[in-house]
Amino acid sequence: MTTAVNTTARLLITCPDKSGIVSAVSNFLYNHGANITALDQHSTAPEGGTYFMRLEFQTPHLDLSRQVLAQTFADAVAKQIDPIHEITEP
């Protein structure tokens, strides 16, 4: 009997709403070999609201370990969008 390896990770983001968040996050994940399989997002107001994102992605082709990916995300993307964020496994 073989054990299935879970390749799904989740990214949860809360931050001030501004343009470019989806682009910054999705480009970052794409550039590191992740495949986004689910994305839910909304803002509390058309302008000046709080933005929420829940994103699931697949990790078997990542070019970094999950721990390094999380730190690289914090260093590269989080500085642009100032989020409260967390990368988790389901």
Side-chain angles (χ1 to χ4, degrees):
M1 180 177 183
T2 60
T3 304
V5 175
N6 186 359
T7 62
T8 302
R10 288 192 184 109
L11 173 60
L12 307 173
I13 292 175
T14 303
C15 63
D17 190 16
K18 65 180 183 179
S19 63
I21 297 170
V22 174
S23 176
V25 172
S26 61
N27 281 323
F28 173 82
L29 291 172
Y30 168 78
N31 288 332
H32 290 288
N35 181 37
I36 297 170
T37 53
L39 189 149
D40 297 305
Q41 51 94 30
H42 71 277
S43 182
T44 59
E47 289 188 31
T50 300
Y51 178 80
F52 298 91
M53 177 189 282
R54 178 188 173 277
L55 185 145
E56 284 190 0
F57 60 98
Q58 300 305 307
T59 62
H61 303 292
L62 288 179
D63 63 352
L64 307 168
S65 71
R66 288 191 194 192
Q67 294 80 15
V68 173
L69 183 78
Q71 184 59 53
T72 304
F73 180 86
D75 293 342
V77 178
K79 288 181 180 179
Q80 297 174 31
I81 61 175
D82 192 27
I84 298 169
H85 71 282
E86 178 182 12
I87 297 177
T88 64
E89 296 180 30

